[in-house]
């Protein structure tokens, strides 16, 4: 018999399906996730914020610099493409910029919530970028309306919106 004590969470095998210490700790931690009503309030406030950002910030740039220089003859397809591109890019930048820098969007500031990783710490930049891209999956905006109020952009990026 050996005098050493074996760590029950030690994963000495190459099989990745075995439980390891980090998975176990993440499963035990209960995060104080935001409610569905709070998440809906975040959505409404941030939708207004994105609209203001698009209208006053990017709208000025598009009208005065891009459209006047890129589209000489009025071409509705080119104009629509530029506007849609600006719409998607601005919403992506809004969420990514605020959540990477502050861990919160303006909506989350007002509802006193923030984005965290599954352990409750600051989410990594790659997770925030993934989270921001996932928002464009069709019907994703409705995915957090269940009992858990955890949307696809939360679960797929391994992040949560919590009180605090």
């Amino acid at each position: 018999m050996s005098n050493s004590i074996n760590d029950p969470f030690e994963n000495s095998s190459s099989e990745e399906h075995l439980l390891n210490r980090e998975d176990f700790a993440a499963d035990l931690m209960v995060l104080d996730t935001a409610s569905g009503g709070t998440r809906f309030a975040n959505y409404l406030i941030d939708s207004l914020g994105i609209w203001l950002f698009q209208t006053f910030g990017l709208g000025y740039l598009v009208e005065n610099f891009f459209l006047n220089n890129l589209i000489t003859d009025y071409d509705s397809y080119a104009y629509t493409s530029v506007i849609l591109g600006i719409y998607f890019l601005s919403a992506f930048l809004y969420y990514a910029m605020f959540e990477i820098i502050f861990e919160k969007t303006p909506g989350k500031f007002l509802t006193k919530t923030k984005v965290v990783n599954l352990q409750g710490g600051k989410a990594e930049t790659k997770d925030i970028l993934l989270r921001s891209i996932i928002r464009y999956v069709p019907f994703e905006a409705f995915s957090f309306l269940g009992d858990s109020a955890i949307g696809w952009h939360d679960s797929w990026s391994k992040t949560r919106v919590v009180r605090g």
Side-chain angles (χ1 to χ4, degrees), residues 102-151:
F102 303 110
E103 299 178 60
K104 310 174 174 210
T105 60
K108 291 176 187 72
F109 273 107
L110 292 174
T111 61
K112 295 180 174 52
T113 56
K114 66 180 181 177
V115 177
V116 297
N117 62 21
L118 293 179
Q119 290 75 35
K122 185 173 180 169
E124 293 183 29
T125 298
K126 68 177 179 60
D127 297 329
I128 298 297
L129 294 174
L130 177 61
R131 177 182 167 82
S132 299
I133 290 169
I134 293 169
R135 292 177 189 275
Y136 295 108
V137 171
F139 305 108
E140 193 284 327
F142 304 106
S143 66
F144 70 90
L145 295 177
D147 291 337
S148 67
I150 296 172

Side-chain angles (χ1 to χ4, degrees), residues 13-137:
S13 109
S14 63
E15 298 179 41
E16 292 185 22
H17 69 276
L18 296 176
L19 181 66
N20 64 38
R21 184 175 291 126
E22 289 79 21
D23 290 339
F24 186 71
D27 288 343
L28 286 179
M29 179 171 284
V30 177
L31 297 173
D32 188 15
T33 58
S35 68
T38 301
R39 300 295 303 272
F40 187 66
N42 289 345
Y43 175 76
L44 291 177
I45 295 165
D46 288 331
S47 293
L48 176 63
I50 291 168
W51 179 80
L52 291 170
F53 180 61
Q54 290 168 337
T55 302
F56 297 108
L58 294 175
Y60 176 79
L61 289 174
V62 169
E63 286 295 324
N64 290 303
F65 296 103
F66 296 114
L67 292 180
N68 291 337
N69 295 325
L70 293 177
I71 304 170
T72 54
D73 295 327
Y74 182 74
D75 180 358
S76 63
Y77 294 114
Y79 183 81
T80 302
S81 297
V82 168
I83 296 301
L84 284 175
I86 295 289
Y87 168 76
F88 287 116
L89 181 62
S90 61
F92 174 82
L93 289 174
Y94 176 91
Y95 282 111
M97 178 182 64
F98 278 111
E99 290 180 349
I100 289 170
I101 296 170
F102 303 110
E103 299 178 60
K104 310 174 174 210
T105 60
K108 291 176 187 72
F109 273 107
L110 292 174
T111 61
K112 295 180 174 52
T113 56
K114 66 180 181 177
V115 177
V116 297
N117 62 21
L118 293 179
Q119 290 75 35
K122 185 173 180 169
E124 293 183 29
T125 298
K126 68 177 179 60
D127 297 329
I128 298 297
L129 294 174
L130 177 61
R131 177 182 167 82
S132 299
I133 290 169
I134 293 169
R135 292 177 189 275
Y136 295 108
V137 171

